[in-house]
Amino acid sequence: GAVVSQHPSRVICKSGTSVKIECRSLDFQATTMFWYRQFPKQSLMLMATSNEGSKATYEQGVEKDKFLINHASLTLSTLTVTSAHPEDSSFYICSATKLGTAKETLHFGNGTRLTVT
Amino acid sequence: DAKTTQPPSMDCAEGRAANLPCNHSTISGNEYVYWYRQIHSQGPQYIIHGLKNNETNEMASLIITEDRKSSTLILPHATLRDTAVYYCIVSGGYTGNQFYFGTGTSLTVIP
């Protein structure tokens, strides 16, 4: 149980366009989802915390107008990279915690490799 | 920000136990220690977590010192498939508590 699915797994887009990444919890309900970014040979960097039905909370230095997060249901959160530039090329990973549990672990998706040309 | 310190890399012979240390000297009383690993180009995989008692599951054992300022993840019989980056994370663990990743330990299991 506790499967998190991300789509797409890979995407290539042109500079200036927008890209949407979906994160779904397949077999549980998630009130909170987290979005991370990972550059080559580096650790995961938390970008934002996404709560169902409310605005996302962004980490310091992350542009909320560039990285739009929508958590419209208990099983789906989306990250839209707007006006993408080559420096936005990265590995984006989402994770989720189960509804109604304390001391819970995070369950991660398998990531989305974004390449901006 | 990450509250943990780990050695950047370690090697382990196949079949031997891999002992991965983690320092978390500023851990607070309600925070858990979590271990995840990441194999190249995949999402992190949960391994184990604990509060103050030692824990064991089918993947690994977690030894937490009595003062909770450090812990050790033990893979009892390392295989080549255990080659990965291992992350130690401290978090309150409640839904909505953030998980901040440190730099992790790159474990290489050698045949």
Side-chain angles (χ1 to χ4, degrees):
Chain A
V3 177
V4 175
S5 174
Q6 263 184 261
H7 180 80
S9 58
R10 290 179 177 271
V11 59
I12 301 172
C13 72
K14 292 187 176 180
S15 188
T17 61
S18 295
V19 174
K20 181 185 285 188
I21 301 169
E22 291 188 349
C23 178
R24 295 181 183 271
S25 55
L26 297 186
D27 53 358
F28 67 99
Q29 292 182 319
T31 48
T32 305
M33 291 184 174
F34 302 91
W35 287 94
Y36 291 84
R37 179 169 55 182
Q38 186 175 33
F39 293 108
K41 299 189 184 302
Q42 294 187 23
S43 184
L44 284 77
M45 289 174 41
L46 180 64
M47 299 175 66
T49 302
S50 166
N51 294 296
E52 185 266 339
S54 64
K55 291 184 178 181
T57 303
Y58 291 81
E59 294 295 306
Q60 191 172 6
V62 178
E63 300 176 57
K64 63 180 181 180
D65 294 330
K66 181 169 183 62
F67 299 100
L68 301 179
I69 291 172
N70 184 281
H71 192 159
S73 77
L74 288 172
T75 59
L76 173 64
S77 176
T78 60
L79 168 68
T80 302
V81 182
T82 63
S83 187
H85 289 99
E87 56 265 32
D88 297 324
S89 298
S90 189
F91 192 50
Y92 291 87
I93 309 169
C94 74
S95 64
T97 56
K98 290 182 182 179
L99 170 67
T101 56
K103 310 296 189 289
E104 184 53 86
T105 62
L106 280 190
H107 307 283
F108 286 84
N110 263 334
T112 297
R113 176 81 54 195
L114 170 63
T115 303
V116 184
T117 62
Chain B
D1 290 333
K3 299 171 65 172
T4 61
T5 305
Q6 299 175 252
S9 63
M10 293 181 64
D11 292 339
C12 177
E14 188 178 16
R16 305 297 292 268
N19 296 280
L20 292 91
C22 179
N23 286 323
H24 32 79
S25 59
T26 62
I27 191 171
S28 59
N30 63 346
E31 289 182 315
Y32 282 66
V33 179
Y34 295 80
W35 283 84
Y36 284 79
R37 71 181 182 185
Q38 185 180 28
I39 296 169
H40 182 63
S41 293
Q42 295 182 25
Q45 176 190 23
Y46 166 77
I47 301 173
I48 198 167
H49 74 288
L51 182 62
K52 55 183 178 181
N53 297 323
N54 297 339
E55 302 288 344
T56 295
N57 63 20
E58 65 277 5
M59 289 183 68
S61 294
L62 173 60
I63 309 298
I64 302 174
T65 58
E66 191 168 345
D67 63 7
R68 303 211 321 126
K69 293 185 177 182
S70 65
S71 61
T72 301
L73 178 75
I74 301 173
L75 308 178
H77 306 287
T79 71
L80 299 179
R81 286 179 293 182
D82 292 323
T83 292
V85 178
Y86 287 76
Y87 295 100
C88 166
I89 301 163
V90 165
S91 176
Y94 290 95
T95 301
N97 270 196
Q98 285 78 8
F99 280 56
Y100 294 100
F101 283 72
T103 53
T105 296
S106 178
L107 174 70
T108 301
V109 180
I110 302 168

